[in-house]
Amino acid sequence: MLQFLLRRTFGAVVILLLLSAFTFFVFFGAGDPAAMSCGKNCTADNIALIHQNLGLDKPLTTQFWDFLVGIFAGRDYSIGHCSAPCFGYSFATKQDVWSTLIDRLPTTASLAVGGAAVFLTVGLGTGLIAAYKRGSFLDKALTSISMVLSSAQIYILGPIALGLFVYSGLMESPRYVPITSDPGGWFMGLLLPWVVMATIFTAQYTRMSRSTMIEQLQEEHVRTAKAKGMSSRYVFLRYAWRGSLIPIVTILGMDLSSLFGGAMITEFTFQLAGVGRLAIDSVITLDLPMVMGVLVFSAALILVFNIIVDATYAFIDPRVRLS
């Protein structure tokens, strides 16, 4: 297991390095970042000053090396010292990129973790019930509802939910409140986005958990357990349920990484100031250091989640060998 984790970590670092190099040379080599950040009324002297302050007067390869070194060792700019991990300063706000990312992360993390808790609980629960009651009216009803909801999108359900609950006065507008200062405000502020996310993702997990459970119930070791006289409920939960978790964990890992890495549509729909909303605003304002920081940060999260998902396989199913 340790060798597997080390090998996957090394591969993730290589991928992250290549991705960083590609995006850096595309972003900073396609034009003059100083001119982009300076605005329409900028003078040549102002552009030269920005070059000097942000180190843009150096060769592009030197700039990339300084960018990498800054992530691990910090970096000195003419406008101040940027502590590690340093992704530079925002063109738009003049703030440290890393500090901005960390400030926005709790909103995205709360949105992703809370939403995942809701759609996992409801989705897996209804999927198990549908599989256990296979062929019944309840199974057909749950399957039909999940098929209808699977075609829904956040940018459709989000405005509908806002109109029904927020604009009618039944609920306050979604907002992020730190859980440490007001747990009740945190819960109520994100309840509507969680419900909308759960409505969409629940359908996917209901169908997936139902189908994988039915497949597992046909496996030889499950039939053998039944033949030994074990109760159907015990076999259902002890053997079939465990085996059905592997594809669910795979999809959950990808969903969580995408939610953590962006959640752009959800945050934009509900006007939540998370990492996804930060990415959109940075692209609109051509804030290249912030775009670069969001991209590298999001890619690192996705790679970490992929490693965790792969390692979880061995814990869920001992038949999996991570050699």
Side-chain angles (χ1 to χ4, degrees):
M1 177 62 80
L2 181 60
Q3 290 182 349
F4 165 77
L5 292 176
L6 291 175
R7 190 167 61 249
R8 290 302 308 270
T9 302
F10 176 77
V13 171
V14 172
I15 293 173
L16 199 58
L17 182 62
L18 293 175
L19 178 67
S20 302
F22 177 77
T23 52
F24 187 91
F25 285 105
V26 169
F27 287 167
F28 289 85
D32 187 355
M36 296 179 187
S37 67
C38 197
K40 295 181 179 179
N41 299 321
C42 191
T43 65
D45 291 339
N46 289 336
I47 292 178
L49 182 60
I50 294 174
H51 278 164
Q52 182 181 0
N53 289 340
L54 300 181
L56 301 175
D57 52 347
K58 300 176 182 177
L60 199 57
T61 52
T62 304
Q63 292 182 43
F64 179 63
W65 175 251
D66 291 341
F67 173 78
L68 291 180
V69 172
I71 294 176
F72 300 99
R75 188 176 173 186
D76 289 321
Y77 290 91
S78 299
I79 57 177
H81 177 72
C82 178
S83 302
C86 174
F87 287 88
Y89 287 97
S90 164
F91 285 164
T93 64
K94 313 303 179 189
Q95 299 294 316
D96 180 1
V97 170
W98 177 255
S99 298
T100 306
L101 285 171
I102 295 303
D103 289 341
R104 298 293 189 97
L105 183 60
T107 302
T108 302
S110 298
L111 196 62
V113 173
V118 175
F119 67 67
L120 270 180
T121 302
V122 180
L124 298 186
T126 52
L128 285 178
I129 293 172
Y132 193 72
K133 299 290 185 180
R134 183 185 181 188
S136 65
F137 172 77
L138 182 60
D139 173 29
K140 295 176 181 177
L142 292 175
T143 304
S144 301
I145 293 173
S146 67
M147 291 182 66
V148 173
L149 293 179
S150 63
S151 60
Q153 298 295 329
I154 290 178
Y155 53 80
I156 296 176
L157 287 184
I160 293 175
L162 287 172
L164 290 176
F165 298 101
V166 176
Y167 301 145
S168 64
L170 294 176
M171 297 180 66
E172 295 182 356
S173 297
R175 61 194 176 94
Y176 172 74
V177 177
I179 189 174
T180 53
S181 61
D182 184 5
W186 172 80
F187 180 82
M188 292 304 298
L190 296 176
L191 180 59
L192 193 59
W194 288 343
V195 171
V196 172
M197 292 169 60
T199 301
I200 296 169
F201 285 97
T202 291
Q204 176 185 355
Y205 283 87
T206 296
R207 291 184 294 113
M208 186 188 309
S209 59
R210 177 187 179 277
S211 61
T212 54
M213 278 297 294
I214 292 175
E215 290 178 3
Q216 286 297 315
L217 289 172
Q218 308 301 321
E219 293 289 333
E220 186 175 349
H221 69 283
V222 176
R223 294 201 304 269
T224 302
K226 287 183 178 179
K228 289 182 177 179
M230 298 180 185
S231 68
S232 298
R233 182 172 299 178
Y234 180 80
V235 173
F236 189 85
L237 296 176
R238 176 66 177 83
Y239 294 99
W241 169 237
R242 188 172 183 176
S244 68
L245 284 179
I246 290 182
I248 295 173
V249 168
T250 303
I251 300 300
L252 177 63
M254 291 189 290
D255 286 342
L256 279 180
S257 60
S258 62
L259 288 173
F260 268 104
M264 296 182 185
I265 298 176
T266 305
E267 293 175 6
F268 187 80
T269 301
F270 295 101
Q271 298 297 303
L272 296 171
V275 177
R277 182 63 188 273
L278 178 64
I280 295 176
D281 294 341
S282 302
V283 170
I284 293 174
T285 59
L286 294 177
D287 192 352
L288 296 186
M290 193 63 74
V291 175
M292 187 77 192
V294 171
L295 192 148
V296 174
F297 185 71
S298 302
L301 284 177
I302 291 172
L303 292 171
V304 169
F305 273 108
N306 285 337
I307 294 173
I308 294 174
V309 167
D310 289 344
T312 306
Y313 286 165
F315 175 76
I316 295 176
D317 190 347
R319 294 173 300 177
V320 176
R321 294 290 181 266
L322 300 175
S323 60

mmCIF file with all atom_site columns, all heavy atoms in Angstrom, residues 131 171 282:
data_model
loop_
_atom_site.group_PDB
_atom_site.id
_atom_site.type_symbol
_atom_site.label_atom_id
_atom_site.label_alt_id
_atom_site.label_comp_id
_atom_site.label_asym_id
_atom_site.label_entity_id
_atom_site.label_seq_id
_atom_site.pdbx_PDB_ins_code
_atom_site.Cartn_x
_atom_site.Cartn_y
_atom_site.Cartn_z
_atom_site.occupancy
_atom_site.B_iso_or_equiv
_atom_site.pdbx_formal_charge
_atom_site.auth_seq_id
_atom_site.auth_comp_id
_atom_site.auth_asym_id
_atom_site.auth_atom_id
_atom_site.pdbx_PDB_model_num
ATOM 1  N N  . ALA A 1 131 ? -33.569 -1.772 -4.886  1.00 0.00 ? 131 ALA A N  1
ATOM 2  C CA . ALA A 1 131 ? -32.967 -3.075 -5.172  1.00 0.00 ? 131 ALA A CA 1
ATOM 3  C C  . ALA A 1 131 ? -33.596 -4.164 -4.300  1.00 0.00 ? 131 ALA A C  1
ATOM 4  O O  . ALA A 1 131 ? -33.850 -5.286 -4.758  1.00 0.00 ? 131 ALA A O  1
ATOM 5  C CB . ALA A 1 131 ? -31.460 -3.015 -4.944  1.00 0.00 ? 131 ALA A CB 1
ATOM 6  N N  . MET A 1 171 ? -37.800 31.680 2.340   1.00 0.00 ? 171 MET A N  1
ATOM 7  C CA . MET A 1 171 ? -36.440 31.476 2.836   1.00 0.00 ? 171 MET A CA 1
ATOM 8  C C  . MET A 1 171 ? -35.597 32.701 2.507   1.00 0.00 ? 171 MET A C  1
ATOM 9  O O  . MET A 1 171 ? -35.918 33.470 1.597   1.00 0.00 ? 171 MET A O  1
ATOM 10 C CB . MET A 1 171 ? -35.801 30.223 2.201   1.00 0.00 ? 171 MET A CB 1
ATOM 11 C CG . MET A 1 171 ? -36.486 28.912 2.521   1.00 0.00 ? 171 MET A CG 1
ATOM 12 S SD . MET A 1 171 ? -35.676 27.494 1.726   1.00 0.00 ? 171 MET A SD 1
ATOM 13 C CE . MET A 1 171 ? -34.100 27.506 2.607   1.00 0.00 ? 171 MET A CE 1
ATOM 14 N N  . SER A 1 282 ? -12.251 35.878 -12.192 1.00 0.00 ? 282 SER A N  1
ATOM 15 C CA . SER A 1 282 ? -10.859 36.061 -12.614 1.00 0.00 ? 282 SER A CA 1
ATOM 16 C C  . SER A 1 282 ? -10.719 35.970 -14.130 1.00 0.00 ? 282 SER A C  1
ATOM 17 O O  . SER A 1 282 ? -9.934  36.715 -14.727 1.00 0.00 ? 282 SER A O  1
ATOM 18 C CB . SER A 1 282 ? -9.969  35.006 -11.947 1.00 0.00 ? 282 SER A CB 1
ATOM 19 O OG . SER A 1 282 ? -10.054 35.086 -10.543 1.00 0.00 ? 282 SER A OG 1
#
